[in-house]
Amino acid sequence: MRLSPLFVLPLLVGAQVWKCDDQTTCSSCASVSHYLGQEALTDSSSDTPLGTQLVGCKWCLKDSTCHADGSLFNPCSSSESIEYVDICPTSYPPSPPEFLPDWMSAVSGVIGNLTLLDLSLPGTHDSLTYDLSTTISDGGIDDYPELSKVLHLFSGSVDIIPGQIEDFIRQQARTQGMTITEQLDNGIRFIDFRTMKEKDDWYSLHMLESNEKSTTYLKEIRDWMESHPGEIVVLWMTKHGNGGAVGDDAYPGVSVEDKRAFWGQVEEIFDGLMLDTSVSQINVTTIDELVSRNHRVVVYAGDYVEFSNSSKFAIDGALIDNRLGSSVDDEENAYASEVDMFTNAASIKREDKASQKLLLRSMATSSPDFQVEAVAFMKFDPFASDEDQTKKCTDGFGIPSLNSWCPPTLMDIAQMGVYYKQLTLDLAYSKFDEGWEFPNAIYLDALDYDGRIRTGTTLPWGTIKDDDVEDHRLDNYPYADTLIGFNVKLACRMGGGNEGLCKSLLDMIEQRREVGGLVSRWDDTKYGRSSDWPVSS
Ligand SMILES: *[C@@H]1O[C@H](CO)[C@@H](O)[C@H](O)[C@H]1NC(C)=O
Ligand SMILES: *[C@@H]1O[C@H](CO)[C@@H](O)[C@H](O)[C@H]1NC(C)=O
Ligand SMILES: *[C@@H]1O[C@H](CO)[C@@H](O)[C@H](O)[C@H]1NC(C)=O
């Protein structure tokens, strides 16, 4: 039986205050209401279940206190109050790490004579999803039938607070905790910049619109480039990560005029910093020359002709040789295809370079349909069986150590995903002398501080799983340093720098990799971490 909101209101107040007072962190506070779902409502005199209610608490940053919904003691306005756990502040250290903010210039003594298409850039997938709003993007969930279904099935239900479904979708859309500036500071040089014209302007997106207009993030990148004069950044600009799509397939319903007007803004923002393809060729021009010409922003634009008006300041997005592979819900095949990629990367890159193509490898994931459906039913349908839904979800992943937990958010999947990605990244690095190489760029999820990827179970916004393997909550793998180390090794093999410089740089990078810990594997039979699957060490 469903109760009308009016009927449960008098009972709600007492329960809320009690629950909220107990919470001492943003993450636990914002979880009480909207993430743990519905609390059973019982008549205290008889213990008879009366139905369900939503228990709501909000975190206020001003007094670091958890307040009941609508509390008069909350000094934060309703827009300042944090209602959803995924927008709690992240806890990365406040200042940039050593070395990574200027890594290209720090190793320019060895990579200076290489071209951009000789390098392997650490990248992020869906780079701007750290800042999604709760507004569904125009056509943004067309490619996600399961989420459209959830939206239609449950929105309007009396038990659901306005915005709750949208926040649920956001939690299936967010792959990164770090801001774009933090990503650049942490060594990322390949940005998966998604953008789309919405009603009034261009926003970034992943199902939902970004909070800010796309130009805001572009200006942030510009500012960062100004203060890091030796760094080169590649922006891959598309709506949906499909560099070959053109016209309406690329930007549905957007006019050529609107595309070119936006591109005009891009050129304006990066004025003086863009690669000018009439002067520099990315497969010929050296890194040193790109830097000295200030050709440091390289944009691969999807729908090149319509979007950029065939601008000399852009490269056709169709020249991204994007290799997808499987993701973590098919991890045995993912592992095999990553091994295949890294053993063949050298020869593929050689071919790609001749036609100015950039070899890109996805090591990312998205929310699989079976997981979205399972978590949606568990969260929004009081009559769904958690056991049945969890089984459907864990069967879908097929990870032997994932038995009783359905990852509730994309970030949970992402961190479990990179737990497995570290294996092939490290293998490829260790097999450099046997000819294994990285592609020109990799993009993946769950970037962590110091250019690492978080393989542990604690989410960036602080949600701890208290029944996990405690020692490994914040484990991570040195993603950026591994790729940078590879670049240095490759440059040195190609004759860059001298022996002494090569050795000192490699020693320094190896030390950085080791200080934070290399591959870390453990067995957590609830949270899907296995020490001997899909391969043993
Ligand atoms: C597109 O390029 C053509 C040829 O260079 C130029 O004449 C035209 O003004 C450009 N249009 C826009 C909107 O920039
Ligand atoms: C660079 O690209 C151009 C155009 O695709 C090609 O003609 C040339 O051979 C390439 N150069 C190298 C060094 O790969
Ligand atoms: C690049 O090549 C030039 C000319 O051969 C050489 O003087 C310089 O040391 C090289 N730089 C690097 C970083 O290898």
Side-chain angles (χ1 to χ4, degrees):
M1 184 189 75
R2 302 270 179 117
L3 298 172
S4 79
L6 274 180
F7 179 81
V8 298
L9 205 59
L11 291 147
L12 251 155
V13 181
Q16 275 179 336
V17 171
W18 176 80
K19 272 278 184 190
C20 302
D21 281 355
D22 267 8
Q23 312 306 323
T24 54
T25 64
C26 178
S27 167
S28 68
C29 176
S31 296
V32 167
S33 56
H34 315 309
Y35 215 58
L36 293 184
Q38 295 155 325
E39 295 280 311
L41 181 66
T42 44
D43 178 347
S44 50
S45 54
S46 63
D47 264 4
T48 321
L50 293 176
T52 57
Q53 67 170 354
L54 295 163
V55 179
C57 306
K58 289 179 180 162
W59 184 258
C60 175
L61 283 172
K62 286 182 186 163
D63 62 355
S64 293
T65 300
C66 189
H67 300 275
D69 274 352
S71 162
L72 299 173
F73 300 104
N74 186 351
C76 285
S77 68
S78 65
S79 65
E80 290 166 333
S81 297
I82 298 177
E83 184 171 11
Y84 295 115
V85 61
D86 57 313
I87 48 172
C88 285
T90 53
S91 57
Y92 307 114
S95 45
E98 300 281 297
F99 175 61
L100 296 177
D102 296 290
W103 70 261
M104 284 188 166
S105 61
V107 303
S108 66
V110 296
I111 67 167
N113 286 343
L114 265 47
T115 72
L116 195 65
L117 292 186
D118 298 314
L119 296 184
S120 294
L121 306 176
T124 46
H125 167 236
D126 275 322
S127 308
L128 302 169
T129 53
Y130 63 87
D131 197 23
L132 292 173
S133 70
T134 49
T135 303
I136 307 280
S137 159
D138 288 347
I141 60 173
D142 291 356
D143 302 310
Y144 304 91
E146 207 51 46
L147 283 168
S148 304
K149 199 169 116 189
V150 167
L151 191 66
H152 292 128
L153 207 56
F154 295 113
S155 52
S157 162
V158 290
D159 282 346
I160 291 169
I161 327 163
Q164 198 185 12
I165 297 217
E166 289 77 4
D167 178 68
F168 170 80
I169 293 176
R170 175 164 60 194
Q171 300 207 28
Q172 311 311 320
R174 184 171 174 184
T175 60
Q176 304 297 342
M178 287 194 170
T179 67
I180 198 71
T181 295
E182 288 171 330
Q183 291 176 34
L184 293 164
D185 276 340
N186 280 275
I188 297 303
R189 297 293 179 268
F190 180 92
I191 306 288
D192 176 13
F193 197 100
R194 310 266 175 116
T195 186
M196 176 62 183
K197 167 101 184 0
E198 304 290 349
K199 277 159 206 76
D200 61 326
D201 210 321
W202 289 73
Y203 287 81
S204 295
L205 74 157
H206 189 205
M207 307 172 208
L208 303 157
E209 286 177 25
S210 54
N211 283 314
E212 306 294 336
K213 294 175 180 177
S214 291
T215 48
T216 304
Y217 306 106
L218 293 171
K219 285 175 191 155
E220 202 176 319
I221 297 170
R222 162 94 208 193
D223 288 346
W224 185 89
M225 305 272 325
E226 298 280 355
S227 48
H228 299 85
E231 304 305 296
I232 299 169
V233 173
V234 176
L235 301 181
W236 183 31
M237 223 174 258
T238 66
K239 176 196 169 224
H240 191 51
N242 180 354
V246 296
D248 244 32
D249 289 340
Y251 296 102
V254 181
S255 69
V256 176
E257 293 67 41
D258 280 345
K259 292 177 196 176
R260 290 181 180 171
F262 177 64
W263 175 255
Q265 290 183 281
V266 176
E267 284 193 3
E268 221 169 275
I269 288 168
F270 291 119
D271 184 37
L273 277 182
M274 298 187 90
L275 176 84
D276 179 344
T277 56
S278 69
V279 178
S280 302
Q281 273 191 298
I282 50 156
N283 66 341
V284 175
T285 310
T286 66
I287 299 293
D288 278 349
E289 283 168 317
L290 290 178
V291 169
S292 69
R293 290 174 189 165
N294 233 350
H295 288 183
R296 299 192 291 117
V297 175
V298 177
V299 180
Y300 277 87
D303 196 18
Y304 172 71
V305 176
E306 290 195 1
F307 185 82
S308 78
N309 196 15
S310 305
S311 168
K312 65 178 182 177
F313 295 113
I315 301 174
D316 189 342
L319 292 173
I320 295 273
D321 181 4
N322 186 19
R323 307 284 177 118
L324 291 173
S326 309
S327 73
V328 67
D329 57 329
D330 185 15
E331 184 52 37
E332 279 171 317
N333 282 324
Y335 184 91
S337 77
E338 284 153 23
V339 165
D340 187 57
M341 165 95 287
F342 299 146
T343 49
N344 293 304
S347 62
I348 305 172
K349 278 190 290 183
R350 208 172 308 123
E351 272 174 39
D352 279 353
K353 186 180 175 185
S355 50
Q356 310 214 16
K357 283 189 182 166
L358 181 149
L359 178 61
L360 173 67
R361 170 70 196 203
S362 169
M363 297 182 84
T365 184
S366 55
S367 289
D369 285 352
F370 56 81
Q371 171 265 347
V372 169
E373 192 173 304
V375 288
F377 275 91
M378 286 192 274
K379 189 171 161 61
F380 296 123
D381 183 348
F383 305 105
S385 150
D386 284 8
E387 203 179 315
D388 292 352
Q389 297 298 334
T390 301
K391 179 156 177 13
K392 183 168 77 182
C393 174
T394 55
D395 285 354
F397 278 102
I399 297 174
S401 52
L402 186 73
N403 296 309
S404 57
W405 177 68
C406 182
T409 73
L410 179 53
M411 194 65 86
D412 282 299
I413 302 173
Q415 290 179 200
M416 183 172 73
V418 297
Y419 174 85
Y420 290 103
K421 303 302 111 176
Q422 65 176 334
L423 302 178
T424 50
L425 287 171
D426 210 62
L427 187 65
Y429 187 63
S430 72
K431 291 195 177 278
F432 175 79
D433 290 332
E434 293 167 45
W436 292 42
E437 291 197 11
F438 290 121
N440 296 123
I442 289 175
Y443 64 130
L444 47 61
D445 307 309
L447 185 70
D448 202 349
Y449 188 73
D450 215 6
R452 302 173 69 90
I453 43 180
R454 187 171 298 180
T455 56
T457 45
T458 297
L459 296 175
W461 45 88
T463 304
I464 290 172
K465 297 166 178 57
D466 49 21
D467 55 352
D468 58 357
V469 179
E470 203 178 328
D471 292 349
H472 296 289
R473 284 182 178 152
L474 295 174
D475 279 12
N476 50 25
Y477 175 79
Y479 170 53
D481 279 288
T482 298
L483 267 64
I484 297 165
F486 166 78
N487 286 320
V488 170
K489 285 188 188 185
L490 190 76
C492 292
R493 189 167 73 188
M494 291 168 77
N498 59 45
E499 217 176 299
L501 182 60
C502 286
K503 189 179 178 322
S504 68
L505 283 174
L506 278 173
D507 285 350
M508 181 268 291
I509 292 168
E510 199 46 40
Q511 203 186 344
R512 285 183 43 80
R513 278 172 28 94
E514 280 167 19
V515 163
L518 298 173
V519 171
S520 165
R521 303 180 80 180
W522 65 97
D523 288 302
D524 186 329
T525 52
K526 179 165 183 190
Y527 293 106
R529 272 73 169 174
S530 167
S531 65
D532 59 3
W533 181 88
V535 291
S536 45
S537 310

